[in-house]
Amino acid sequence: MTMAGRLAGKTALITGAAGGIGQATAELFARQGAHLVLTDACADAAADLAARLGRAGVEALGIGLDVSSPQQWSEVIAQVERRFARLDVLVNIAGIVDWAGVEEADPHTWHRVIAVNQTGTWLGMKTAMPLLRASGNASVINTSSVLGLIGSGGAAAYHASKGAVRLLTKTAAVEYAAQGVRVNSVHPGVIATPMIQEILRQEGDRQPDIVRTPMRRAGRPEEIAPMMLFLASDESSYVTGAEFVVDGGLTAH
């Protein structure tokens, strides 16, 4: 695996790295020369991915991380500083979904979705920002969703969390624009990841959001990763506070 590329010399931290989009992003970043810190709620999965990429010549560290835990975030960033002494890219991908609507959602599940998707994104930026600012040329990529832009009539907590990520991204972009840190959000549409695999198995192309998608198919994680790469690279040096939709045309209606 080549160590030259669009991210040569950069250290990137990816949350949710063992999931569909996270793994595709990690593999693409590896091919483009990044040093990688791969975190996931499943520590073994993060370690396995890091080991696999390491065998291909990539410098990669795999760590377990509950993104809703301030203490765990502090421990991860301390490891990043010890191992790499820098951080240039933070990709907040870790997320969970609950499909219950407003009345059906229960408080426990609501708070857990908010804790992972919304608070976890904030904690990642808060804890990593000193290292990112020290880079002088850093990029934060927050993963929202098309459901952070439009309603679907369900998944109340997920919508709330992803809408919050969208505006948290914009205010952070304004706050850090003059400090060498760009902050943007990516909004995937229906992507064939483990999170929705059961729904896709049951409904296939009849799944309502796929029917409404002009391309009439689910996207692949490998179709989201290049957007992450663009935002992580210096090619997006004048891009901050923006939202990038990768949804097969779903929000074009």
Side-chain angles (χ1 to χ4, degrees):
M1 188 175 291
T2 179
M3 290 295 102
R6 294 158 68 185
L7 300 182
K10 294 185 184 292
T11 298
L13 190 160
I14 302 171
T15 73
I21 294 174
Q23 186 167 325
T25 299
E27 291 170 348
L28 182 56
F29 280 21
R31 292 195 295 273
Q32 292 298 324
H35 303 311
L36 294 173
V37 182
L38 307 174
T39 73
D40 197 90
C42 178
D44 288 345
D48 289 348
L49 178 58
R52 177 165 63 81
L53 294 176
R55 288 191 292 273
V58 178
E59 190 169 358
L61 175 64
I63 313 173
L65 172 63
D66 174 356
V67 295
S68 70
S69 167
Q71 180 180 348
Q72 290 189 30
W73 263 114
S74 294
E75 292 168 355
V76 165
I77 295 302
Q79 288 191 58
V80 173
E81 192 163 17
R82 286 195 299 268
R83 174 77 173 265
F84 298 103
R86 66 181 297 136
L87 183 64
D88 306 283
V89 181
L90 171 64
V91 190
N92 284 309
I93 298 177
I96 59 176
V97 66
D98 177 62
W99 299 108
V102 170
E103 292 184 70
E104 292 77 22
D106 68 83
H108 174 76
T109 305
W110 171 277
H111 288 301
R112 184 59 187 160
V113 171
I114 298 298
V116 172
N117 297 359
Q118 178 179 334
T119 306
T121 298
W122 164 66
L123 283 172
M125 290 195 293
K126 174 183 174 64
T127 316
M129 197 57 73
L131 274 183
L132 292 166
R133 283 191 283 104
S135 164
N137 181 27
S139 174
V140 175
I141 306 160
N142 292 329
T143 307
S144 180
S145 168
V146 292
L147 299 189
L149 300 171
I150 61 173
S152 72
Y158 188 79
H159 274 283
S161 67
K162 292 302 187 178
V165 166
R166 172 179 176 264
L167 283 182
L168 175 62
T169 296
K170 290 182 182 298
T171 198
V174 173
E175 184 172 354
Y176 294 101
Q179 300 183 53
V181 182
R182 298 177 293 104
V183 190
N184 295 284
S185 59
V186 173
H187 299 252
V190 182
I191 308 300
T193 66
M195 191 163 69
I196 65 165
Q197 207 63 54
E198 183 58 33
I199 292 175
L200 293 177
R201 267 197 300 269
Q202 291 175 1
E203 300 180 0
D205 291 342
R206 295 176 287 105
Q207 201 273 338
D209 283 336
I210 292 179
V211 172
R212 290 195 295 269
T213 298
M215 286 189 175
R216 296 298 174 91
R217 67 173 177 85
R220 302 184 304 277
E222 293 77 14
E223 293 177 297
I224 306 298
M227 182 61 74
M228 304 296 196
L229 174 60
F230 167 69
L231 292 172
S233 76
D234 292 341
E235 295 158 23
S236 57
S237 58
Y238 197 55
V239 177
T240 197
E243 49 201 53
F244 292 82
V245 181
V246 190
D247 69 350
L250 178 60
T251 56
H253 291 285

